[in-house]
Structures are given as structure tokens and as C-alpha cells.
Amino acid sequence: MTGLDVLATGPLTTVQDLGRPGHAHLGVPMSGAADRGAHRLANRLVGNTETAATLETTLGGLRVRVDDDAFVVVTGAPCAVTRGDTPMGHGAAFAVHAGDVITLGPPTVGLRSYLAVRGGIDATPVLGSRATDTLSGLGPPTVAAGHRLPVGSDAGPWPMATESFTAAAAHHGPITLAISPGPRADALIDPEALTAGIWVVDAASDRIGVRLDRDPHRSDPPSALHPASTERASEGVALGSVQVPPGGQPVLFGADHPVTGGYPVVAVLTADAIDAAAQLVAGDRVRLVPTHR
């Protein structure tokens, strides 16, 4: 059986698919690819089903050796991709042969890149999913050097297109994330504070959530964001929820978010904004924009 021998992983590499929806009532998060659009694109370019498992790598550094002929692609955060010493295109599928080493460099913009191999990564499913959940520990373990990852059979017909030129461009201003009102949109002392001014991505962000803080370089920062009350019962929260704790720094819930929370969910990211938030790095400047404006 074709497999990938892991030589290096960078800061974090995990196996991801579209997650395990439908188990929140049991306390099980959905998990899955943080940038679902990039994951789906990777599978589409090698002819996999969209539920096939890919490798999600954070800030590059992934190196794998294939032990048989295979067909692979890298999507998501644009980065240098090499097959041995040969540069290969990002967002363009290519053939590899037994013994070839695939290397992903650090992204030029963004955070997470996706390596898909035709057939998908054949990890053992847990509750119907091969996704690694960094919060609950469900799914396959975090990928480590020395692991061998078998390639499965989640492939369909050969794709009609094997390349895409949708890589993100360098940011020249604040990144706009569209939001809709959340179930507790009325919980803020100042309802306009969430969408006023610029937020900055905090370094304490991960697959669980993106933490935002105010831009320290503003001479006239907007009013602080605070919930009107911090005493409320725990409620269910969904992917993309914008939760505001007492300190007033919003958290954008990502793929591995908890299924309940006690702080108000004042807004919810749109599907495209969820993918964009998954590519935010510390220091990125963000503006939250209501969809109804």
C-alpha cells in the first residue's frame, strides 16, 4: 500500500477531513480542516472525494517521502513546494515517484497549507471522521517525524482541472471578516464597539480560536468592548461564533472550538470569513463588518 513517511512536520501538522458534525449534544466538537475551502480544493485537484483526509500544516516545514507513485497537490497558504530539488507549483497537482521527498516551505502569506494525495490519508476513523481534534484529543495523533501515513482509496474520477490560481495575495490593509448577528447580539454595553475600528490578531491563537485585541498603534482607540453582564448560563456555540469574555477581547471560534461556552456569542462569521480567519497570523489587522451593511 502506498504511504507517506514523515521526515519533518514544522510547528504543527495534523490529519484533517471535514470533521464529525452531529455530535455536539454528546460534547464532541466537529473539528476538521480549519480552512475548509482550501481542503476541498486540494481534494478536488487530485480527484478525491471532498471528505478524503488531507494533511494540514501550520507555518510550513512539512517534509514527507513517498514510497510509491502518487499524485499530490498543495493548497491553502501559498508556500514554496519542492519535489526533491525541483520547485513545483502551489495549487497545481503533480506526480511523484517512489523515494521522492515533498517539502513545504513557510507561507508567504497566511498560516495553514494543505497537502492532498490522491486516495486520501488512510487514518483510522473516530465517530466517522479522520480529523485530529486538538481540544478533545479525538482522531489520529498529531503527525510526528517517523510516522508512516498510509494512502487510502477515497478517490473518484480523474479531475478535469488539476490546478488553481486562487492563492491569497499579500495583505495591504485590514482583513475584512463578514459577520452576522449572534444569539446574544444585544449583550454588549456598546453594540457598535465590535465593528468600530481595527482589531489585531493575538499570538495566543490556535485551531480552537483566534483571539483579537485592539490596535496598539491607534491614537484614538474605539470604546472598549464589554458584555453588559458576565453572569449567564453556558450555551451551545457553533463554528465561527464570535464570543466576548469579560476582558472585552473577542474570540473567533475555529474548527476545534468547545461545544458550549458561558460568554455571550454576539456575532457569527460567514462561511467565507471562517476560512479567512483560519489563515490569520499574529499581528494581522482585522475589521469585522456586518453583512447587512
Side-chain angles (χ1 to χ4, degrees), residues 260-275:
T260 60
Y263 302 133
V265 174
V266 299
V268 181
L269 299 172
T270 65
D272 287 344
I274 291 171
D275 288 348

PDB file of all heavy atoms in Angstrom, residues 260-275:
ATOM      1  N   THR A 260     -19.762  24.209  24.119  1.00  0.00           N
ATOM      2  CA  THR A 260     -20.537  25.123  24.953  1.00  0.00           C
ATOM      3  C   THR A 260     -19.614  26.226  25.466  1.00  0.00           C
ATOM      4  O   THR A 260     -18.387  26.082  25.482  1.00  0.00           O
ATOM      5  CB  THR A 260     -21.173  24.408  26.166  1.00  0.00           C
ATOM      6  OG1 THR A 260     -20.140  23.840  26.978  1.00  0.00           O
ATOM      7  CG2 THR A 260     -22.131  23.317  25.719  1.00  0.00           C
ATOM      8  N   GLY A 261     -20.228  27.327  25.891  1.00  0.00           N
ATOM      9  CA  GLY A 261     -19.468  28.429  26.462  1.00  0.00           C
ATOM     10  C   GLY A 261     -20.361  29.313  27.291  1.00  0.00           C
ATOM     11  O   GLY A 261     -21.574  29.405  27.043  1.00  0.00           O
ATOM     12  N   GLY A 262     -19.775  29.990  28.274  1.00  0.00           N
ATOM     13  CA  GLY A 262     -20.560  30.808  29.178  1.00  0.00           C
ATOM     14  C   GLY A 262     -20.540  32.282  28.859  1.00  0.00           C
ATOM     15  O   GLY A 262     -21.238  33.063  29.515  1.00  0.00           O
ATOM     16  N   TYR A 263     -19.755  32.694  27.865  1.00  0.00           N
ATOM     17  CA  TYR A 263     -19.704  34.107  27.484  1.00  0.00           C
ATOM     18  C   TYR A 263     -20.618  34.350  26.287  1.00  0.00           C
ATOM     19  O   TYR A 263     -20.869  33.438  25.494  1.00  0.00           O
ATOM     20  CB  TYR A 263     -18.275  34.521  27.149  1.00  0.00           C
ATOM     21  CG  TYR A 263     -17.297  34.309  28.273  1.00  0.00           C
ATOM     22  CD1 TYR A 263     -16.076  33.692  28.040  1.00  0.00           C
ATOM     23  CD2 TYR A 263     -17.594  34.727  29.574  1.00  0.00           C
ATOM     24  CE1 TYR A 263     -15.169  33.488  29.080  1.00  0.00           C
ATOM     25  CE2 TYR A 263     -16.694  34.519  30.607  1.00  0.00           C
ATOM     26  CZ  TYR A 263     -15.484  33.904  30.362  1.00  0.00           C
ATOM     27  OH  TYR A 263     -14.602  33.707  31.379  1.00  0.00           O
ATOM     28  N   PRO A 264     -21.111  35.558  26.112  1.00  0.00           N
ATOM     29  CA  PRO A 264     -22.092  35.812  25.047  1.00  0.00           C
ATOM     30  C   PRO A 264     -21.497  35.690  23.649  1.00  0.00           C
ATOM     31  O   PRO A 264     -20.405  36.189  23.384  1.00  0.00           O
ATOM     32  CB  PRO A 264     -22.559  37.244  25.316  1.00  0.00           C
ATOM     33  CG  PRO A 264     -21.450  37.867  26.117  1.00  0.00           C
ATOM     34  CD  PRO A 264     -20.872  36.754  26.939  1.00  0.00           C
ATOM     35  N   VAL A 265     -22.237  35.028  22.778  1.00  0.00           N
ATOM     36  CA  VAL A 265     -21.899  34.973  21.357  1.00  0.00           C
ATOM     37  C   VAL A 265     -22.642  36.113  20.686  1.00  0.00           C
ATOM     38  O   VAL A 265     -23.851  36.045  20.472  1.00  0.00           O
ATOM     39  CB  VAL A 265     -22.286  33.614  20.736  1.00  0.00           C
ATOM     40  CG1 VAL A 265     -22.052  33.633  19.229  1.00  0.00           C
ATOM     41  CG2 VAL A 265     -21.490  32.488  21.378  1.00  0.00           C
ATOM     42  N   VAL A 266     -21.911  37.189  20.380  1.00  0.00           N
ATOM     43  CA  VAL A 266     -22.544  38.408  19.891  1.00  0.00           C
ATOM     44  C   VAL A 266     -22.632  38.458  18.373  1.00  0.00           C
ATOM     45  O   VAL A 266     -23.348  39.284  17.813  1.00  0.00           O
ATOM     46  CB  VAL A 266     -21.802  39.643  20.412  1.00  0.00           C
ATOM     47  CG1 VAL A 266     -21.848  39.683  21.940  1.00  0.00           C
ATOM     48  CG2 VAL A 266     -20.363  39.677  19.929  1.00  0.00           C
ATOM     49  N   ALA A 267     -21.878  37.589  17.698  1.00  0.00           N
ATOM     50  CA  ALA A 267     -21.890  37.565  16.237  1.00  0.00           C
ATOM     51  C   ALA A 267     -21.409  36.208  15.766  1.00  0.00           C
ATOM     52  O   ALA A 267     -20.864  35.411  16.555  1.00  0.00           O
ATOM     53  CB  ALA A 267     -21.004  38.676  15.662  1.00  0.00           C
ATOM     54  N   VAL A 268     -21.601  35.936  14.467  1.00  0.00           N
ATOM     55  CA  VAL A 268     -21.150  34.683  13.857  1.00  0.00           C
ATOM     56  C   VAL A 268     -20.520  35.014  12.510  1.00  0.00           C
ATOM     57  O   VAL A 268     -21.096  35.758  11.711  1.00  0.00           O
ATOM     58  CB  VAL A 268     -22.313  33.684  13.663  1.00  0.00           C
ATOM     59  CG1 VAL A 268     -21.795  32.386  13.045  1.00  0.00           C
ATOM     60  CG2 VAL A 268     -22.998  33.394  14.993  1.00  0.00           C
ATOM     61  N   LEU A 269     -19.327  34.474  12.257  1.00  0.00           N
ATOM     62  CA  LEU A 269     -18.658  34.674  10.980  1.00  0.00           C
ATOM     63  C   LEU A 269     -19.413  33.966   9.861  1.00  0.00           C
ATOM     64  O   LEU A 269     -20.000  32.901  10.069  1.00  0.00           O
ATOM     65  CB  LEU A 269     -17.235  34.117  11.025  1.00  0.00           C
ATOM     66  CG  LEU A 269     -16.263  34.724  12.041  1.00  0.00           C
ATOM     67  CD1 LEU A 269     -14.973  33.919  12.062  1.00  0.00           C
ATOM     68  CD2 LEU A 269     -15.971  36.174  11.718  1.00  0.00           C
ATOM     69  N   THR A 270     -19.380  34.541   8.664  1.00  0.00           N
ATOM     70  CA  THR A 270     -19.904  33.834   7.497  1.00  0.00           C
ATOM     71  C   THR A 270     -18.968  32.686   7.144  1.00  0.00           C
ATOM     72  O   THR A 270     -17.837  32.602   7.647  1.00  0.00           O
ATOM     73  CB  THR A 270     -20.025  34.778   6.301  1.00  0.00           C
ATOM     74  OG1 THR A 270     -18.712  35.217   5.922  1.00  0.00           O
ATOM     75  CG2 THR A 270     -20.905  35.978   6.629  1.00  0.00           C
ATOM     76  N   ALA A 271     -19.414  31.790   6.256  1.00  0.00           N
ATOM     77  CA  ALA A 271     -18.594  30.628   5.885  1.00  0.00           C
ATOM     78  C   ALA A 271     -17.250  31.066   5.290  1.00  0.00           C
ATOM     79  O   ALA A 271     -16.195  30.507   5.627  1.00  0.00           O
ATOM     80  CB  ALA A 271     -19.358  29.743   4.902  1.00  0.00           C
ATOM     81  N   ASP A 272     -17.272  32.048   4.395  1.00  0.00           N
ATOM     82  CA  ASP A 272     -16.015  32.528   3.803  1.00  0.00           C
ATOM     83  C   ASP A 272     -15.122  33.163   4.859  1.00  0.00           C
ATOM     84  O   ASP A 272     -13.893  33.019   4.815  1.00  0.00           O
ATOM     85  CB  ASP A 272     -16.303  33.535   2.686  1.00  0.00           C
ATOM     86  CG  ASP A 272     -16.861  32.878   1.430  1.00  0.00           C
ATOM     87  OD1 ASP A 272     -16.751  31.638   1.307  1.00  0.00           O
ATOM     88  OD2 ASP A 272     -17.405  33.596   0.576  1.00  0.00           O
ATOM     89  N   ALA A 273     -15.724  33.873   5.810  1.00  0.00           N
ATOM     90  CA  ALA A 273     -14.936  34.518   6.851  1.00  0.00           C
ATOM     91  C   ALA A 273     -14.298  33.497   7.785  1.00  0.00           C
ATOM     92  O   ALA A 273     -13.203  33.721   8.307  1.00  0.00           O
ATOM     93  CB  ALA A 273     -15.805  35.491   7.644  1.00  0.00           C
ATOM     94  N   ILE A 274     -14.960  32.361   7.997  1.00  0.00           N
ATOM     95  CA  ILE A 274     -14.373  31.296   8.821  1.00  0.00           C
ATOM     96  C   ILE A 274     -13.080  30.802   8.182  1.00  0.00           C
ATOM     97  O   ILE A 274     -12.050  30.635   8.854  1.00  0.00           O
ATOM     98  CB  ILE A 274     -15.371  30.138   8.999  1.00  0.00           C
ATOM     99  CG1 ILE A 274     -16.547  30.582   9.879  1.00  0.00           C
ATOM    100  CG2 ILE A 274     -14.688  28.921   9.608  1.00  0.00           C
ATOM    101  CD1 ILE A 274     -17.677  29.579   9.930  1.00  0.00           C
ATOM    102  N   ASP A 275     -13.106  30.580   6.862  1.00  0.00           N
ATOM    103  CA  ASP A 275     -11.895  30.138   6.158  1.00  0.00           C
ATOM    104  C   ASP A 275     -10.809  31.205   6.228  1.00  0.00           C
ATOM    105  O   ASP A 275      -9.625  30.901   6.434  1.00  0.00           O
ATOM    106  CB  ASP A 275     -12.214  29.803   4.703  1.00  0.00           C
ATOM    107  CG  ASP A 275     -13.012  28.513   4.554  1.00  0.00           C
ATOM    108  OD1 ASP A 275     -13.122  27.762   5.543  1.00  0.00           O
ATOM    109  OD2 ASP A 275     -13.508  28.262   3.442  1.00  0.00           O
TER     110      ASP A 275
END
